[in-house]
Amino acid sequence: MAEGSSVFRDMFGTCDELPPVPEKGSDVGSDSQSPSMEIHEGSEIFGLFLGLLHSDPTQAPKETETQKNGGVAATSDDWDTRTQGTVDSTSTEVATQSLPSLMPLPILRPLLDLADKYDISAPYLAVLHDHLKRNAPESPLEVYSLATQLELPSIASAASAFLLSRPMATYTSEEVERYFPTIRSYHLLVRLQAYRKMKLRDVLSKEFLFPHGYGKCSKHGDEASKLWQEHRDDVCNRITPSIDVVGEMAELLKTPTFHKCDTCGKGLSAAIDMLQYKVNKVPWSLERVPEKLSEWEERAMKRQG
Protein backbone atom coordinates (compact mmCIF):
# COMPACT_ATOMS: atom_id res chain seq x y z
CA MET A 1 0.00 0.00 0.00
CA ALA A 2 2.81 2.39 0.87
CA GLU A 3 4.34 1.79 -2.56
CA GLY A 4 1.08 2.61 -4.31
CA SER A 5 0.01 5.74 -2.41
CA SER A 6 2.00 8.65 -1.06
CA VAL A 7 -0.79 9.34 1.47
CA PHE A 8 -0.60 5.83 2.92
CA ARG A 9 3.18 6.01 2.85
CA ASP A 10 3.13 9.17 4.97
CA MET A 11 0.43 7.74 7.24
CA PHE A 12 2.33 4.54 7.94
CA GLY A 13 5.49 6.54 8.48
CA THR A 14 3.67 8.55 11.15
CA CYS A 15 2.33 5.37 12.75
CA ASP A 16 5.85 3.94 12.98
CA GLU A 17 6.82 6.89 15.16
CA LEU A 18 4.01 6.24 17.69
CA PRO A 19 4.70 4.37 20.98
CA PRO A 20 4.33 0.58 20.67
CA VAL A 21 0.89 -0.86 21.38
CA PRO A 22 0.80 -2.80 24.69
CA GLU A 23 0.19 -6.53 24.41
CA LYS A 24 -3.01 -8.09 25.68
CA GLY A 25 -2.94 -8.68 29.44
CA SER A 26 -0.61 -5.81 30.08
CA ASP A 27 -1.63 -3.31 32.78
CA VAL A 28 0.07 -0.46 30.96
CA GLY A 29 -2.20 1.51 28.65
CA SER A 30 -5.00 -1.03 28.85
CA ASP A 31 -7.37 1.46 27.21
CA SER A 32 -5.08 2.06 24.26
CA GLN A 33 -6.13 1.08 20.76
CA SER A 34 -4.07 0.29 17.67
CA PRO A 35 -3.57 3.25 15.38
CA SER A 36 -6.42 3.51 12.89
CA MET A 37 -7.89 5.92 10.35
CA GLU A 38 -11.56 6.65 9.92
CA ILE A 39 -12.73 6.51 6.31
CA HIS A 40 -15.89 7.92 4.79
CA GLU A 41 -16.02 5.74 1.68
CA GLY A 42 -18.16 2.61 1.44
CA SER A 43 -16.44 -0.50 2.74
CA GLU A 44 -16.88 -2.42 -0.53
CA ILE A 45 -15.45 0.39 -2.66
CA PHE A 46 -12.59 0.98 -0.25
CA GLY A 47 -11.95 -2.75 -0.15
CA LEU A 48 -11.58 -2.74 -3.93
CA PHE A 49 -9.27 0.24 -3.64
CA LEU A 50 -7.09 -1.68 -1.19
CA GLY A 51 -7.23 -4.67 -3.51
CA LEU A 52 -5.86 -2.46 -6.26
CA LEU A 53 -2.96 -1.33 -4.07
CA HIS A 54 -2.22 -4.95 -3.08
CA SER A 55 -2.28 -6.15 -6.71
CA ASP A 56 0.51 -6.30 -9.25
CA PRO A 57 -0.15 -3.35 -11.59
CA THR A 58 1.96 -4.94 -14.33
CA GLN A 59 -0.26 -8.01 -14.56
CA ALA A 60 -2.86 -7.73 -17.33
CA PRO A 61 -6.47 -8.37 -16.22
CA LYS A 62 -7.96 -11.69 -17.28
CA GLU A 63 -10.88 -11.69 -19.63
CA THR A 64 -14.08 -13.26 -18.34
CA GLU A 65 -16.32 -15.51 -20.39
CA THR A 66 -18.91 -12.73 -20.49
CA GLN A 67 -16.41 -10.35 -22.07
CA LYS A 68 -15.22 -12.98 -24.54
CA ASN A 69 -18.80 -13.40 -25.69
CA GLY A 70 -19.28 -9.67 -26.09
CA GLY A 71 -21.19 -9.23 -22.83
CA VAL A 72 -21.37 -6.11 -20.72
CA ALA A 73 -19.59 -5.40 -17.49
CA ALA A 74 -21.21 -6.55 -14.29
CA THR A 75 -23.69 -4.20 -12.69
CA SER A 76 -23.00 -2.54 -9.39
CA ASP A 77 -26.30 -3.49 -7.74
CA ASP A 78 -24.58 -5.86 -5.32
CA TRP A 79 -22.00 -3.34 -4.15
CA ASP A 80 -22.72 -1.57 -0.89
CA THR A 81 -21.15 1.87 -1.23
CA ARG A 82 -22.81 3.35 1.85
CA THR A 83 -21.24 1.54 4.80
CA GLN A 84 -18.41 3.40 6.43
CA GLY A 85 -15.43 1.54 7.78
CA THR A 86 -12.10 1.74 9.57
CA VAL A 87 -8.68 1.00 8.15
CA ASP A 88 -6.36 -0.54 10.74
CA SER A 89 -2.80 0.61 10.10
CA THR A 90 -1.46 -2.75 11.28
CA SER A 91 -3.68 -4.96 9.07
CA THR A 92 -5.75 -4.28 5.98
CA GLU A 93 -5.96 -7.84 4.67
CA VAL A 94 -9.55 -8.39 5.84
CA ALA A 95 -10.80 -5.29 4.05
CA THR A 96 -9.13 -6.13 0.74
CA GLN A 97 -11.44 -7.11 -2.15
CA SER A 98 -10.29 -8.88 -5.30
CA LEU A 99 -10.49 -6.79 -8.44
CA PRO A 100 -13.02 -7.93 -11.09
CA SER A 101 -11.70 -8.49 -14.60
CA LEU A 102 -13.66 -5.46 -15.79
CA MET A 103 -14.85 -2.87 -13.32
CA PRO A 104 -18.12 -1.18 -14.40
CA LEU A 105 -18.38 2.59 -14.39
CA PRO A 106 -20.41 2.91 -11.14
CA ILE A 107 -17.43 1.31 -9.38
CA LEU A 108 -14.73 3.01 -11.42
CA ARG A 109 -15.93 6.53 -10.70
CA PRO A 110 -15.46 6.36 -6.90
CA LEU A 111 -12.20 4.43 -7.35
CA LEU A 112 -10.85 7.19 -9.56
CA ASP A 113 -11.89 9.71 -6.92
CA LEU A 114 -10.01 7.69 -4.31
CA ALA A 115 -7.00 7.47 -6.61
CA ASP A 116 -6.87 11.25 -6.68
CA LYS A 117 -7.57 11.62 -2.97
CA TYR A 118 -4.84 9.20 -1.91
CA ASP A 119 -2.41 10.18 -4.69
CA ILE A 120 -1.74 6.69 -6.00
CA SER A 121 1.32 6.08 -8.16
CA ALA A 122 1.24 5.96 -11.96
CA PRO A 123 1.29 2.14 -12.44
CA TYR A 124 -1.83 1.68 -10.27
CA LEU A 125 -3.54 4.66 -11.88
CA ALA A 126 -2.85 3.08 -15.28
CA VAL A 127 -4.82 -0.01 -14.18
CA LEU A 128 -7.90 2.13 -13.51
CA HIS A 129 -7.45 3.93 -16.81
CA ASP A 130 -7.28 0.59 -18.60
CA HIS A 131 -10.57 -0.47 -17.03
CA LEU A 132 -12.08 2.86 -18.08
CA LYS A 133 -10.96 2.39 -21.69
CA ARG A 134 -12.33 -1.16 -21.83
CA ASN A 135 -15.77 0.15 -20.84
CA ALA A 136 -15.90 2.27 -24.01
CA PRO A 137 -17.62 -0.28 -26.31
CA GLU A 138 -20.62 -0.59 -23.96
CA SER A 139 -20.72 2.93 -22.50
CA PRO A 140 -18.91 5.20 -24.97
CA LEU A 141 -20.63 8.46 -24.05
CA GLU A 142 -20.03 7.99 -20.31
CA VAL A 143 -16.40 6.99 -20.89
CA TYR A 144 -15.86 9.93 -23.26
CA SER A 145 -17.29 12.32 -20.69
CA LEU A 146 -15.26 10.96 -17.79
CA ALA A 147 -12.04 10.75 -19.81
CA THR A 148 -12.52 14.36 -20.88
CA GLN A 149 -12.98 15.46 -17.28
CA LEU A 150 -9.85 13.55 -16.24
CA GLU A 151 -7.89 14.98 -19.19
CA LEU A 152 -7.22 11.57 -20.75
CA PRO A 153 -7.28 12.34 -24.50
CA SER A 154 -6.25 8.87 -25.66
CA ILE A 155 -9.16 7.24 -23.80
CA ALA A 156 -11.56 9.94 -24.98
CA SER A 157 -10.40 9.23 -28.52
CA ALA A 158 -10.94 5.49 -28.08
CA ALA A 159 -14.49 6.16 -26.88
CA SER A 160 -15.17 8.52 -29.79
CA ALA A 161 -14.87 5.59 -32.21
CA PHE A 162 -18.12 4.25 -30.75
CA LEU A 163 -19.93 7.60 -31.03
CA LEU A 164 -20.26 7.77 -34.81
CA SER A 165 -23.79 6.45 -35.31
CA ARG A 166 -25.76 9.10 -33.43
CA PRO A 167 -25.87 12.55 -35.07
CA MET A 168 -24.64 15.24 -32.70
CA ALA A 169 -27.72 17.39 -33.34
CA THR A 170 -29.94 14.73 -31.73
CA TYR A 171 -28.45 15.17 -28.26
CA THR A 172 -30.83 16.98 -25.94
CA SER A 173 -29.73 20.03 -23.98
CA GLU A 174 -29.83 17.91 -20.82
CA GLU A 175 -27.53 15.30 -22.38
CA VAL A 176 -25.14 17.96 -23.62
CA GLU A 177 -24.94 19.49 -20.16
CA ARG A 178 -24.45 16.10 -18.53
CA TYR A 179 -21.97 14.41 -20.85
CA PHE A 180 -19.97 17.24 -22.43
CA PRO A 181 -18.00 19.08 -19.75
CA THR A 182 -16.64 21.64 -22.22
CA ILE A 183 -17.71 23.20 -25.50
CA ARG A 184 -14.56 21.75 -27.05
CA SER A 185 -15.51 18.20 -26.06
CA TYR A 186 -18.77 18.57 -28.00
CA HIS A 187 -17.15 20.32 -30.95
CA LEU A 188 -14.50 17.62 -31.34
CA LEU A 189 -17.18 14.97 -31.92
CA VAL A 190 -19.02 17.24 -34.34
CA ARG A 191 -15.78 17.65 -36.26
CA LEU A 192 -15.02 13.92 -36.20
CA GLN A 193 -18.41 12.98 -37.60
CA ALA A 194 -18.29 15.68 -40.28
CA TYR A 195 -14.73 14.81 -41.31
CA ARG A 196 -15.38 11.08 -41.54
CA LYS A 197 -18.56 11.65 -43.52
CA MET A 198 -16.71 13.90 -45.96
CA LYS A 199 -13.81 11.46 -46.40
CA LEU A 200 -16.07 8.44 -46.90
CA ARG A 201 -18.01 10.28 -49.59
CA ASP A 202 -14.80 11.39 -51.26
CA VAL A 203 -13.31 7.89 -51.28
CA LEU A 204 -16.45 6.27 -52.65
CA SER A 205 -17.17 8.91 -55.31
CA LYS A 206 -13.72 8.41 -56.83
CA GLU A 207 -13.88 4.62 -56.94
CA PHE A 208 -14.58 3.00 -60.32
CA LEU A 209 -15.55 -0.55 -61.18
CA PHE A 210 -13.04 -0.91 -64.03
CA PRO A 211 -10.39 1.80 -63.46
CA HIS A 212 -8.86 2.80 -66.80
CA GLY A 213 -10.81 -0.08 -68.37
CA TYR A 214 -8.73 -2.67 -66.55
CA GLY A 215 -10.53 -6.05 -66.32
CA LYS A 216 -13.61 -4.72 -68.11
CA CYS A 217 -16.02 -7.34 -69.41
CA SER A 218 -16.42 -7.15 -73.20
CA LYS A 219 -20.09 -8.21 -73.03
CA HIS A 220 -21.49 -6.53 -69.92
CA GLY A 221 -18.84 -3.96 -69.05
CA ASP A 222 -20.89 -0.87 -69.85
CA GLU A 223 -23.99 -2.20 -68.12
CA ALA A 224 -21.97 -3.23 -65.06
CA SER A 225 -20.24 0.16 -64.88
CA LYS A 226 -23.61 1.94 -65.06
CA LEU A 227 -24.98 -0.21 -62.21
CA TRP A 228 -21.89 0.53 -60.13
CA GLN A 229 -22.11 4.29 -60.73
CA GLU A 230 -25.84 4.48 -59.98
CA HIS A 231 -25.48 2.50 -56.77
CA ARG A 232 -22.35 4.45 -55.80
CA ASP A 233 -24.18 7.77 -56.24
CA ASP A 234 -27.10 6.49 -54.18
CA VAL A 235 -24.82 5.43 -51.33
CA CYS A 236 -22.97 8.77 -51.51
CA ASN A 237 -26.27 10.55 -50.99
CA ARG A 238 -26.90 8.44 -47.89
CA ILE A 239 -23.45 8.73 -46.35
CA THR A 240 -23.28 8.85 -42.57
CA PRO A 241 -20.21 8.63 -40.29
CA SER A 242 -21.14 5.06 -39.31
CA ILE A 243 -22.33 3.68 -42.65
CA ASP A 244 -20.80 0.44 -43.90
CA VAL A 245 -19.76 1.72 -47.32
CA VAL A 246 -18.17 -1.56 -48.36
CA GLY A 247 -21.19 -3.58 -47.28
CA GLU A 248 -23.49 -1.25 -49.20
CA MET A 249 -21.50 -1.62 -52.42
CA ALA A 250 -21.20 -5.39 -51.92
CA GLU A 251 -24.98 -5.60 -52.36
CA LEU A 252 -24.29 -5.44 -56.10
CA LEU A 253 -22.98 -9.00 -55.93
CA LYS A 254 -26.61 -10.12 -55.65
CA THR A 255 -27.65 -8.53 -58.95
CA PRO A 256 -27.88 -10.79 -62.05
CA THR A 257 -25.24 -8.85 -64.01
CA PHE A 258 -22.54 -9.55 -61.42
CA HIS A 259 -23.92 -12.85 -60.17
CA LYS A 260 -24.03 -14.60 -63.53
CA CYS A 261 -20.94 -13.16 -65.23
CA ASP A 262 -17.61 -14.33 -63.81
CA THR A 263 -15.67 -11.44 -65.37
CA CYS A 264 -18.01 -8.78 -63.97
CA GLY A 265 -18.13 -10.56 -60.60
CA LYS A 266 -14.36 -10.68 -60.46
CA GLY A 267 -14.13 -6.99 -61.32
CA LEU A 268 -16.66 -6.13 -58.63
CA SER A 269 -14.80 -8.16 -56.00
CA ALA A 270 -11.55 -6.39 -56.91
CA ALA A 271 -13.25 -2.97 -56.70
CA ILE A 272 -14.74 -3.82 -53.31
CA ASP A 273 -11.36 -4.99 -51.99
CA MET A 274 -9.76 -1.73 -53.10
CA LEU A 275 -12.60 0.24 -51.56
CA GLN A 276 -12.14 -1.62 -48.27
CA TYR A 277 -8.45 -0.76 -48.26
CA LYS A 278 -9.20 2.95 -48.73
CA VAL A 279 -12.08 3.04 -46.25
CA ASN A 280 -9.85 1.52 -43.59
CA LYS A 281 -7.68 4.62 -43.83
CA VAL A 282 -10.55 7.02 -43.16
CA PRO A 283 -10.27 8.40 -39.57
CA TRP A 284 -12.68 6.84 -37.10
CA SER A 285 -11.53 8.45 -33.86
CA LEU A 286 -10.50 11.90 -32.61
CA GLU A 287 -6.76 11.35 -32.59
CA ARG A 288 -6.84 10.40 -36.28
CA VAL A 289 -8.46 13.62 -37.45
CA PRO A 290 -5.77 16.13 -38.49
CA GLU A 291 -5.58 19.33 -36.50
CA LYS A 292 -5.32 21.45 -39.62
CA LEU A 293 -7.43 20.64 -42.66
CA SER A 294 -6.38 21.28 -46.24
CA GLU A 295 -8.19 23.99 -48.17
CA TRP A 296 -10.03 21.34 -50.18
CA GLU A 297 -11.13 19.52 -47.00
CA GLU A 298 -12.42 22.73 -45.47
CA ARG A 299 -14.44 23.52 -48.59
CA ALA A 300 -15.81 19.98 -48.73
CA MET A 301 -16.81 20.14 -45.06
CA LYS A 302 -18.68 23.41 -45.64
CA ARG A 303 -20.47 22.06 -48.72
CA GLN A 304 -21.85 19.06 -46.89
CA GLY A 305 -23.17 21.30 -44.11
Side-chain angles (χ1 to χ4, degrees):
M1 288 176 61
E3 294 180 1
S5 165
S6 63
V7 174
F8 282 127
R9 184 163 55 250
D10 293 343
M11 182 188 74
F12 291 142
T14 302
C15 291
D16 290 340
E17 299 174 0
L18 295 175
V21 179
E23 297 182 359
K24 290 184 178 181
S26 173
D27 293 334
V28 180
S30 58
D31 295 333
S32 300
Q33 295 181 350
S34 60
S36 63
M37 178 181 68
E38 293 291 335
I39 61 172
H40 301 283
E41 292 78 18
S43 57
E44 294 285 358
I45 291 296
F46 205 80
L48 278 173
F49 181 64
L50 296 179
L52 170 67
L53 297 181
H54 279 283
S55 67
D56 180 0
T58 63
Q59 185 176 358
K62 296 181 179 179
E63 200 174 30
T64 64
E65 290 300 321
T66 302
Q67 290 174 254
K68 291 179 182 178
N69 296 329
V72 300
T75 63
S76 61
D77 294 342
D78 295 333
W79 295 97
D80 181 6
T81 59
R82 297 164 298 176
T83 308
Q84 294 184 351
T86 301
V87 177
D88 192 328
S89 65
T90 60
S91 175
T92 58
E93 192 65 32
V94 176
T96 302
Q97 300 284 341
S98 299
L99 296 178
S101 59
L102 177 60
M103 287 184 281
L105 290 177
I107 295 176
L108 262 179
R109 289 189 185 94
L111 285 179
L112 287 166
D113 289 339
L114 286 173
D116 179 63
K117 178 178 179 180
Y118 291 97
D119 190 26
I120 68 172
S121 58
Y124 295 94
L125 190 59
V127 173
L128 295 180
H129 291 170
D130 177 69
H131 280 272
L132 178 61
K133 184 177 181 178
R134 290 190 291 121
N135 270 278
E138 293 297 335
S139 306
L141 189 57
E142 291 82 355
V143 171
Y144 179 77
S145 177
L146 188 53
T148 300
Q149 295 175 48
L150 297 174
E151 298 182 350
L152 302 172
S154 63
I155 297 180
S157 178
S160 71
F162 301 97
L163 294 171
L164 297 173
S165 59
R166 183 177 177 183
M168 297 303 296
T170 65
Y171 286 99
T172 65
S173 57
E174 291 78 11
E175 288 176 315
V176 171
E177 185 176 352
R178 178 180 180 184
Y179 293 114
F180 299 97
T182 63
I183 295 176
R184 176 176 168 79
S185 65
Y186 182 87
H187 177 258
L188 286 175
L189 286 184
V190 172
R191 193 167 180 268
L192 168 63
Q193 290 191 4
Y195 187 81
R196 179 172 172 82
K197 183 178 176 181
M198 178 268 295
K199 295 297 286 186
L200 286 175
R201 180 181 286 114
D202 179 58
V203 166
L204 180 56
S205 65
K206 294 177 180 178
E207 199 63 32
F208 295 92
L209 179 61
F210 302 115
H212 307 291
Y214 179 78
K216 185 176 180 179
C217 175
S218 59
K219 292 183 178 180
H220 318 102
D222 292 338
E223 179 186 356
S225 295
K226 183 179 179 181
L227 286 173
W228 170 273
Q229 291 172 17
E230 290 177 347
H231 192 59
R232 180 192 64 189
D233 293 344
D234 175 62
V235 175
C236 280
N237 290 331
R238 297 186 286 109
I239 286 287
T240 66
S242 61
I243 192 173
D244 180 7
V245 171
V246 177
E248 291 284 347
M249 295 306 296
E251 289 293 313
L252 286 173
L253 288 169
K254 301 176 183 178
T255 60
T257 299
F258 295 100
H259 183 66
K260 295 181 179 180
C261 178
D262 291 339
T263 303
C264 290
K266 184 177 180 181
L268 178 59
S269 296
I272 289 174
D273 288 344
M274 179 56 67
L275 181 62
Q276 180 72 75
Y277 170 76
K278 294 178 179 179
V279 165
N280 287 344
K281 291 188 173 184
V282 175
W284 63 85
S285 63
L286 292 179
E287 62 187 5
R288 295 178 177 273
V289 178
E291 273 297 321
K292 184 173 178 58
L293 303 183
S294 67
E295 291 185 7
W296 177 88
E297 288 174 333
E298 289 182 353
R299 289 196 301 269
M301 294 264 280
K302 291 178 180 178
R303 282 198 304 269
Q304 75 177 4

